[in-house]
Amino acid sequence: MTIYTVLIPPDTRLEALREKDIERIAFIKEGFCWPALFFAVIWMLFRRLWLVVIVYLVLALLLEFVTRQIGGVAPLLGGFLFAVLVALEANGLRRWTMERRGWHFVATVEGSTLADAEQRFFSALSARQTM
C-alpha cells in the first residue's frame, strides 16, 4: 500500500467543498519519486517548485565543483548519490512548497493506487459530512 498526503487549496474549508475545489485537491505520494530521479529539473519546473529548482542547481554546481577537485570516481558517485537523495525527498519538497503557498494538510490516506486512495478519502469525507 502507498501512503498519500491530502492537501486542499488555500481559502478552502473541508466542510464546505465545492465542485471546483474537489477537482483541485492534491494527493501527494509519500516516498521515492522516479521522474525526479531521471528528470529532476524538468519535474521540478513542471510542478512549479521555483525555489527548489534554484537550490537544486546551486547545490548541483557546488557538488560538481567539489567532486571534480577530489577527482577519480567522486564526480560519478557524488552525482548519483545526489540524484537519489533528490528523488527520495522530491515529494516532500513538493508538499513543503504547497504548504508554503497556503495549501492545508487535511489527511493521509493509503491505497494500492491513486484512484483507490482518492476513493477512500472521498468516501470517508462523505460519511463524515452526512453525520
Side-chain angles (χ1 to χ4, degrees):
M1 289 288 209
T2 305
I3 306 271
Y4 293 88
T5 301
V6 183
L7 299 170
I8 59 172
D11 302 327
T12 304
R13 290 187 0 205
L14 193 59
E15 298 80 26
L17 285 175
R18 295 174 302 209
E19 182 85 25
K20 68 176 188 169
D21 295 331
I22 289 174
E23 294 173 2
R24 292 185 58 215
I25 292 176
F27 288 79
I28 301 175
K29 183 181 91 154
E30 296 290 321
F32 199 83
C33 180
W34 287 101
L37 176 66
F38 297 110
F39 310 106
V41 173
I42 295 170
W43 181 85
M44 290 175 198
L45 291 174
F46 178 74
R47 296 294 183 183
R48 300 176 52 203
L49 307 177
W50 313 124
L51 182 60
V52 175
V53 169
I54 292 169
V55 171
Y56 171 84
L57 292 174
V58 168
L59 289 176
L61 289 172
L62 182 63
L63 179 68
E64 180 70 21
F65 175 76
V66 169
T67 56
R68 292 246 180 215
Q69 298 302 317
I70 295 171
V73 297
L76 180 65
L77 185 61
F80 173 75
L81 292 176
F82 185 61
V84 169
L85 176 64
V86 168
L88 284 169
E89 295 298 326
N91 288 325
L93 292 169
R94 180 178 172 210
R95 185 176 47 259
W96 172 77
T97 300
M98 291 178 79
E99 287 176 344
R100 210 171 46 83
R101 290 180 181 153
W103 288 66
H104 304 285
F105 168 83
V106 291
T108 54
V109 291
E110 67 178 356
S112 54
T113 63
L114 176 59
D116 185 34
E118 288 174 342
Q119 180 184 12
R120 287 177 186 223
F121 173 75
F122 289 119
S123 294
L125 182 63
S126 67
R128 179 177 163 203
Q129 288 179 344
T130 58
M131 290 183 154

